[in-house]
Structures are given as C-alpha cells and as structure tokens.
Amino acid sequence: MKNPIKSLQQTSARYKTLDNKDRRAFVADTLLNNAIYIILIVFIIFTYTQNHNIISSSSIINIINLTAASLPMALGIGGCIVLTGTDLSAGRTVGLTAAISATLLQSLTTTNKFFEGLGEVPIPLVLLAALAVGGIVGLVNGFFVARFQLHPFIVTLATQLIVYGVCLMYYMSNGNNGQSISGLSDAYKNCITGSIIGSLTGIVIPNYVIYAVIVLIIMWFIWNKTTFGKNMFAVGSNPEAANVSGVNVFFTTLMVHTLAGITYGYTGFIEAARIGSNTANTGLNYECDAIAACVIGGVSFVGGTGTIGGVVLGVFLLRIIFVGLNFLSISGNMQYIIKGIIILLACSIDMRKYLTRK
C-alpha cells in the first residue's frame, strides 16, 4: 500500500506548481477521487457524536474480529477483480464448506447428529476438505473463464446457483430435512473462537484473528513476491500483451480463481465455528461485502490495479460502517440499501479515475 505521508507530500508539491485556475480543478478532482473516504470519515465522526461507544475498546476489538473473519474471502475476490472479473459464487461456496465442516465436526454427544456413528474427525483433515471443495469450485470458474472466454459474471452466476443447489441437497440429506447444523465439538470451537492471546494477555481476541494474519502474509507474498503475482497483474492490465510477453494467460486465470476458491473454503471452515449454528443461508451475500471492500480499497474493475494493503483497509472501513450503523440503530433492511449505495459510489469513483487517466 502506498505511503499516505509520501502521497500527501507529492500532492502538495504538485499543487504548488499550478496556477489558480488549475489549482481549483486539481482540488475538485482530488475531492471527487477521494469522496468515498471523505464520506466515511464524516460518517465515523457523526456516529461518534451520537454514540461514543463506537471507539470503546470492546467496539474496536469487535471491528478487528469482524475484519479478520471477512478478510480472507476479500483477498480471494480481490485477485478476480484484478483480472477485470468478479466472483458471485463466493458466498454460496462459503455456505457449502461451512456445512461440510460443521457436519464433520459435530460433537459425538450431539443429538440428531448429521452423520450417525461418525467418530472424531481430525480438524486438519476437515480443513483440507473445505479448502479442496472451495478450490474445486474456483477451478471450475477459472476453467470456463479461461478456456471459453466467458465473462466471469456469467460463469460465477452459474456456479453460484449450482453450489447453492448442492448445499440445499446436502442439508436435506441423511434425514436432516433442512434443519440447522449445530452442536459442534469443543475442540473445533476452541480452535477457531478460543483465544490463545486472551490466556496470555487478558485481551480476548479469537484465534481466527491470528489465522487471518497468517493468510494475509501468505497472500501478500503471493501478490508481491512471486512470478504468479506479477503475471496476475500483467494479465489484468492487458492479457494480449501479457501473452506476447510469454505469460501463460490460461494458467494464470485458472490459478487466480482456484486460489480465490481456496480462500472461500477457508472462510467457510472458520465461519461454521464462528457462528455456531449453520443453515442453508450461511454465506448469503458475503460476496457483496467482499467486492465492496475491494473496490473501496482501490482494487479496480478496469484490471491490473490493487494492493493487499488496500483490501485490508477496505474491509476494515466497511466493518466500521456496519458497526456504526448498528450503533445508530439503523434497521437491517436499510443496511442493504446503504451497502448497495456504497458499491455504486465506489465503482463510479473508480471508473471516473480510469476515464480521467485515459
């Protein structure tokens, strides 16, 4: 992510070189290009004036926890957006992998156990299963996008419906009849929602926050330090030029979507234990929040632009907004409208920047 102090210094230096007319235009452009951040800052200040608890320690920890839960999925979708695409199947993939994780890791003493007679399944094995299922969905998405040049919107819309149908059938199987899945094993819950940090410092931060930091480091390394990461940005900027330069566009597209699917599988594994009681609606609209966070964080739909730091910032700011809306007692129905406005505004600003550069 760019250094904000250096960026501010560069903006100030450029401003000083302009005459009065150009300065007014420059200021107007700067305000419009950063309108989403200005609105967010004003919103946070307004929320604080209405309810000071938004900056309490418990509220800040809650925002961090929510950010950690949403971040891996946003990092996965961020790669798809870098390729000028998106992924509408993400939320339903989270729901399916959450269902699989929950059913395999129910307590042995749970009544109405989904898999009767199933013994204790190792947690790492279930994690691998969730990652594999998510990866397969991503692989299918990437194959149809790369092989048949289909738009990612169409491909992932199709897989969204397919995965949701599979998820509904899964909940109806084994005599479950669509009931929610709960009664998870203590080992599983402690692994995800327990707090190693809390036992050492007294500050209760769930283990999944630590795992999110690990995922963040891995994704940062992939995006910034590997040939694959460089190829991803090259394909997103100009696939024809990347192909001429020797980049395997098919493989890169395939792997970006597969990696995204793996992050959805991971998110499902975490989410199953985090929410405790899973239904067929688990994961509903999760992709909308992830896409909004990426766009707020500067991952451009025109392709080839985005940073890991930007995605983190976008997720964090979006979580602040949602927590703030709850502090303001805004209804859940109204929150959907606000989410839609945020996505529309962020994408409009992003496209304006692109058209201005062009």
Side-chain angles (χ1 to χ4, degrees):
M1 189 175 178
K2 292 181 179 180
N3 187 325
I5 297 177
K6 185 177 180 180
S7 179
L8 184 62
Q9 290 173 341
Q10 291 173 343
T11 301
S12 177
R14 183 183 173 191
Y15 176 81
K16 292 177 182 178
T17 63
L18 303 174
D19 57 31
N20 289 335
K21 182 179 179 180
D22 290 337
R23 283 182 177 181
R24 287 193 295 270
F26 179 75
V27 170
D29 284 342
T30 301
L31 291 175
L32 285 172
N33 289 339
N34 295 280
I36 188 70
Y37 298 109
I38 296 171
I39 292 171
L40 293 177
I41 291 171
V42 171
F43 171 79
I44 293 170
I45 294 173
F46 173 75
T47 304
Y48 175 75
T49 62
Q50 302 300 308
N51 192 328
H52 290 359
N53 289 329
I54 192 172
I55 62 170
S56 65
S57 58
S58 60
S59 176
I60 293 173
I61 291 175
N62 183 42
I63 291 171
I64 292 173
N65 293 346
L66 292 173
T67 300
S70 305
L71 182 59
M73 182 178 180
L75 293 171
I77 284 187
C80 299
I81 297 176
V82 167
L83 295 184
T84 69
T86 187
D87 195 338
L88 301 180
S89 67
R92 292 306 186 184
T93 304
V94 169
L96 176 60
T97 52
I100 293 171
S101 300
T103 53
L104 292 177
L105 290 171
Q106 283 182 302
S107 172
L108 298 179
T109 58
T110 298
T111 56
N112 299 322
K113 190 169 166 45
F114 192 89
F115 290 115
E116 290 290 343
L118 179 67
E120 186 174 339
V121 182
I123 294 175
L125 183 61
V126 177
L127 172 59
L128 289 176
L131 297 181
V133 171
I136 290 171
V137 175
L139 183 68
V140 171
N141 288 336
F143 176 79
F144 280 94
V145 170
R147 178 66 178 83
F148 299 105
Q149 300 297 304
L150 298 176
H151 196 284
F153 181 91
I154 299 300
V155 173
T156 59
L157 175 61
T159 52
Q160 178 196 64
L161 296 173
I162 294 170
V163 171
Y164 185 44
V166 171
C167 189
L168 291 174
M169 292 169 64
Y170 190 84
Y171 273 94
M172 292 298 295
S173 63
N174 275 17
N176 189 61
N177 295 323
Q179 298 180 60
S180 61
I181 300 170
S182 56
L184 307 181
S185 70
D186 291 337
Y188 180 34
K189 290 186 289 186
N190 290 336
C191 176
I192 306 302
T193 60
S195 179
I196 297 176
I197 294 178
S199 62
L200 298 175
T201 65
I203 302 174
V204 181
I205 296 179
N207 292 333
Y208 65 79
V209 175
I210 300 175
Y211 306 153
V213 173
I214 296 173
V215 172
L216 173 63
I217 293 172
I218 293 172
M219 293 296 287
W220 179 89
F221 181 81
I222 292 173
W223 278 35
N224 296 284
K225 298 297 181 181
T226 65
T227 302
F228 168 72
K230 295 176 182 177
N231 291 344
M232 178 182 74
F233 283 100
V235 173
S237 297
N238 191 324
E240 290 79 12
N243 186 51
V244 171
S245 300
V247 175
N248 189 328
V249 176
F250 174 86
F251 177 77
T252 301
T253 303
L254 190 71
M255 293 310 298
V256 166
H257 284 275
T258 302
L259 180 61
I262 290 172
T263 65
Y264 311 154
Y266 166 83
T267 302
F269 175 79
I270 296 296
E271 199 69 3
R274 194 179 74 88
I275 63 179
S277 180
N278 298 270
T279 69
N281 283 328
T282 299
L284 176 64
N285 290 332
Y286 280 25
E287 67 275 3
C288 296
D289 292 349
I291 292 169
C294 289
V295 177
I296 290 173
V299 184
S300 176
F301 271 102
V302 299
T305 302
T307 64
I308 291 293
V311 176
V312 175
L313 177 62
V315 174
F316 184 70
L317 290 176
L318 202 62
R319 289 300 139 192
I320 291 177
I321 293 172
F322 296 159
V323 170
L325 291 173
N326 289 327
F327 275 117
L328 294 175
S329 299
I330 303 297
S331 70
N333 296 336
M334 187 63 190
Q335 289 188 28
Y336 279 110
I337 296 175
I338 294 173
K339 288 180 184 180
I341 292 173
I342 290 172
I343 294 174
L344 188 61
L345 180 61
C347 289
S348 298
I349 294 172
D350 173 59
M351 185 54 65
R352 183 186 179 278
K353 292 178 182 178
Y354 170 72
L355 294 175
T356 300
R357 291 194 303 267
K358 190 174 180 181

